[in-house]
């Protein structure tokens, strides 16, 4: 069961009562008075006269307390540190002698299904928030007030809150799987002199494990973070990689529910690697042989970017630091050895390409995932979308990204959508072939310049399409791990970059065109293949000509 947490962010400006407000909180919907409930105040000035009450009890600061910036008031310091890996500034219940105690009156604890909080300044109520009413309580959610609106995005216990940031004049090496991703990854690891930090959903690739082990043996500080509960669980191969790396002094940790501390995200689904704090590789692919096959071997279609910039690398290094600490990060299980299985042969078509002077914006889910929608909203000429899959919103209708692409087509923007056709993405009743047919029928009904296809994997010699990429107006490209559903952008840890540079957009547009040419257009409920229809038409035509000729010869 997820423990309860409460956050208030109060804008305190040197005792100006009108500037004080509650901007975030989170009661657990099952139990009240949990040990890691906490309050965050943000501002500057004296804390004398500041009081928070739930109607049954209240808390106030020790006399003479002041703040300059953000402070944390936890119910219990011991519970807070288990969840967050650091001590709070104050606590309500005495559990740690090093943390000052709040003055408490009555029974101050938050009921989870129904309660309210009032902020008092000098005894006067300046704000009240109630639930249900102002917010709808949900297990583990932190309710936030931004620009006068509650809960602009779901926010849960222990999650980070990174702000968007754009970096100028960046050098980026572009690459794709299966053609050249192994080559680029190998080159990046070889450059490491101080540190390598890896965050990846699944890690089963023995070749990449050997690269990292060799780096550790030459003195590089290597650490790895994986998802603790991937679909199907951590595989024997994943346990073998963890065991092999541990033998070279490389810790492999995982993010999962541990004791009374729940994982911050439904899935740690990111795929990135920070090298020496100066470079970062961001990919759509897991560290698996299918995701990053050796050169000349068959695998997934995936997109990647090796960003060589201390600013961008520093951004991701901080994401890694935050994600790799906390009570939900524990050692990954270790198992037997792992051996390479390889794959079929593949003719390389795309080599890495480096561009200079790019603008790069990290995209981190859940906090900045809306940048993807904004990117598509800015399209004026064309949008190329290549995705493992697209699912409609649980609320009905297209999900936010597809809806924005449809809106773009209504402005006259040409939109092409390419989806995977592996059996697990087309054998269901509401998966990729039905989605492509739905998009094409929607386009016909409104006369929109949008078309969808499912890639012909045999023609493209790919195992599957696993990328989550977008190209807009031949000027910008998204390389990311974010799937187009409701869960990925709101509840997972995901990572990506938007690279603004015409040559970067052109590179991935060429890759897209090659896959598009191997695509199968689908229409209607049955998903007709127009290439087959055309072939049958040719056969019928030649048969008709043959009959006409025979009749004429008679």
């Amino acid at each position: 069961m997820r423990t309860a947490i409460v956050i208030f962010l109060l804008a305190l400006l040197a005792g100006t009562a009108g500037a004080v407000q509650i901007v975030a909180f989170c009661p657990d919907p099952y139990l009240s008075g949990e040990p890691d409930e906490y309050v965050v105040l943000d501002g500057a000035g004296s804390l004398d006269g500041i009081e928070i009450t739930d109607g049954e009890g209240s808390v106030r600061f020790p006399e003479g307390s002041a703040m300059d910036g953000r402070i944390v008031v936890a119910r219990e310091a011991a519970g807070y540190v288990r969840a967050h890996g650091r001590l709070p500034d104050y606590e309500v219940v005495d559990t740690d002698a090093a943390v000052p105690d709040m003055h408490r009156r009555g029974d101050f604890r938050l009921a989870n299904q129904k309660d309210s909080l009032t902020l008092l300044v000098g005894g006067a109520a300046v704000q009240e928030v109630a639930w249900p009413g102002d917010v709808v309580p949900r297990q583990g959610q932190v309710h936030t007030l931004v620009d006068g609106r509650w809960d602009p995005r779901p926010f849960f216990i222990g999650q980070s809150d990174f702000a968007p940031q754009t970096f100028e004049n960046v050098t980026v090496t572009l690459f794709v799987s299966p053609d050249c991703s192994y080559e680029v990854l190998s080159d990046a690891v070889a450059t490491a002199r101080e540190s390598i930090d890896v965050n990846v959903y699944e890690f089963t690739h023995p070749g990449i494990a050997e690269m990292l082990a060799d780096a550790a043996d030459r003195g590089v500080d290597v650490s790895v973070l994986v998802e603790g509960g991937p679909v199907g669980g951590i595989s024997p191969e994943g346990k073998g990689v963890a065991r092999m790396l541990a033998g070279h002094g490389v810790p492999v940790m995982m993010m999962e529910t541990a004791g009374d501390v729940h994982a911050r995200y439904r899935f740690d689904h990111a795929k990135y690697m920070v090298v020496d704090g100066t470079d970062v590789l961001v990919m759509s692919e897991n560290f698996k042989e299918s995701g990053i096959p050796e050169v000349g071997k068959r695998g997934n279609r995936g997109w990647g970017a090796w960003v060589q910039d201390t600013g961008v690398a520093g951004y991701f290094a901080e994401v890694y630091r935050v994600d790799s600490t906390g009570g939900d990060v524990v050692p990954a299980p270790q198992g037997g050895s792992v051996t390479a299985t390889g794959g079929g042969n593949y003719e390389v078509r795309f080599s890495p390409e480096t561009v200079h002077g790019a603008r790069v914006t990290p995209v981190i889910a859940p906090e900045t995932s809306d940048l993807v929608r904004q990117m598509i909203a800015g399209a004026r000429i064309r949008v190329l979308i290549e995705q493992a899959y697209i699912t409609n919103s649980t609320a009905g209708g297209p999900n936010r990204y597809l809806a924005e692409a449809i809106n773009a087509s209504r402005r006259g923007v040409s939109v092409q959508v390419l989806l995977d056709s592996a059996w697990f993405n087309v054998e269901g009743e509401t998966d990729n072939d039905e989605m492509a047919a739905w998009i094409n029928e929607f386009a016909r009904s409104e006369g929109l310049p949008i078309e969808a296809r499912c890639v012909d994997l045999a023609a493209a010699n790919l195992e599957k399409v696993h990328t989550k990429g977008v190209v807009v107006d031949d000027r910008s490209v998204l390389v990311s791990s974010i799937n187009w559903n409701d869960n990925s952008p709101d509840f997972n840890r995901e990572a990506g970059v938007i690279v603004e540079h015409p040559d970067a957009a052109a590179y991935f547009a060429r890759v897209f065109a090659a896959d598009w040419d191997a695509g199968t257009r689908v229409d209607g409920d049955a998903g007709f293949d127009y290439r087959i229809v055309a072939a049958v038409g040719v056969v019928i035509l030649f048969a008709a000509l043959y009959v006409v000729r025979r009749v004429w010869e008679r």
Side-chain angles (χ1 to χ4, degrees), residues 243-254:
R243 179 178 180 273
M244 187 265 246
L245 288 173
H248 293 264
V250 177
V252 179
M253 308 298 286
M254 65 180 183

Side-chain angles (χ1 to χ4, degrees), residues 207-293:
I208 299 176
E210 289 176 4
M211 292 182 204
L212 297 179
D214 291 343
D217 290 345
R218 66 174 187 266
V220 177
D221 183 10
V222 181
S223 64
V224 176
L225 177 64
V226 299
E227 165 59 36
V231 176
I234 295 180
S235 66
E237 293 80 9
K239 295 176 183 178
V241 164
R243 179 178 180 273
M244 187 265 246
L245 288 173
H248 293 264
V250 177
V252 179
M253 308 298 286
M254 65 180 183
M255 186 184 292
E256 70 159 13
T257 297
D260 61 353
V261 179
H262 281 244
R264 288 160 281 180
Y265 306 97
R266 288 187 182 169
F267 293 106
D268 178 16
H269 193 249
K271 303 107 168 53
Y272 65 90
M273 180 176 75
V274 182
V275 178
D276 287 347
T278 60
D279 298 43
V280 59
L281 277 78
V282 181
M283 298 157 281
S284 63
E285 299 311 293
N286 291 302
F287 282 12
K288 304 172 69 172
E289 289 184 273
S290 58
I292 306 179

Side-chain angles (χ1 to χ4, degrees), residues 56 73 161 218 286 316 350 376 443 448 457 473 509 538:
E56 298 179 357
V73 180
D161 193 17
R218 66 174 187 266
N286 291 302
F316 279 96
F350 301 100
I376 299 170
L448 301 177
L457 295 174
D473 287 353
V538 171

